[in-house]
Amino acid sequence: GRSFSQAMSAPVSKGVSCVYPAQQVIVVGGGLAGFSAAHTVLEHGGKCVVLDKSPFCGGNSTKATSGINGSETKTQKAKGIEDSNQLFVSDTLKGGAKKPEVVE
């Protein structure tokens, strides 16, 4: 395979268009995926600018608590926590879910 530097120096023909790679990259989005992409570019000798619409970086990654949401789990039952699938759906929709059909 080609190195990052080699891949960035030669145009690649894709049908009727031609893509000219460069060692300068603009990453749109300052969340975990954006910073991961920017880090990869820097690791391979490229230059990178990260743009984000928020006054701080982190995106939805700052809201993640590394948990897996669920309802009526064994742990909840063992601890006497009352829960239901209906309550889970309601809480998820209140949290900003855009597609209720996916939640259910």
Side-chain angles (χ1 to χ4, degrees):
R2 300 184 322 170
S3 72
F4 182 79
S5 296
Q6 290 169 329
M8 298 304 255
S9 62
V12 178
S13 180
K14 300 216 179 210
V16 294
S17 67
C18 195
V19 178
Y20 289 91
Q23 289 182 326
Q24 299 176 13
V25 177
I26 298 172
V27 174
V28 178
L32 185 57
F35 273 104
S36 179
H39 184 256
T40 300
V41 170
L42 295 173
E43 279 185 318
H44 291 92
K47 294 180 181 180
C48 188
V49 172
V50 177
L51 303 176
D52 195 87
K53 65 184 175 184
S54 299
F56 58 90
C57 288
N60 283 329
S61 301
T62 60
K63 299 174 188 171
T65 58
S66 299
I68 299 173
N69 298 325
S71 61
E72 299 181 355
T73 67
K74 292 177 188 175
T75 303
Q76 288 172 313
K77 290 176 185 172
K79 293 185 176 193
I81 299 170
E82 291 187 33
D83 195 17
S84 70
N85 293 331
Q86 188 175 20
L87 181 59
F88 173 79
V89 169
S90 174
D91 288 346
T92 303
L93 294 174
K94 277 191 245 176
K98 302 287 188 244
K99 297 181 178 181
E101 65 277 8
V102 175
V103 176
E104 295 176 14

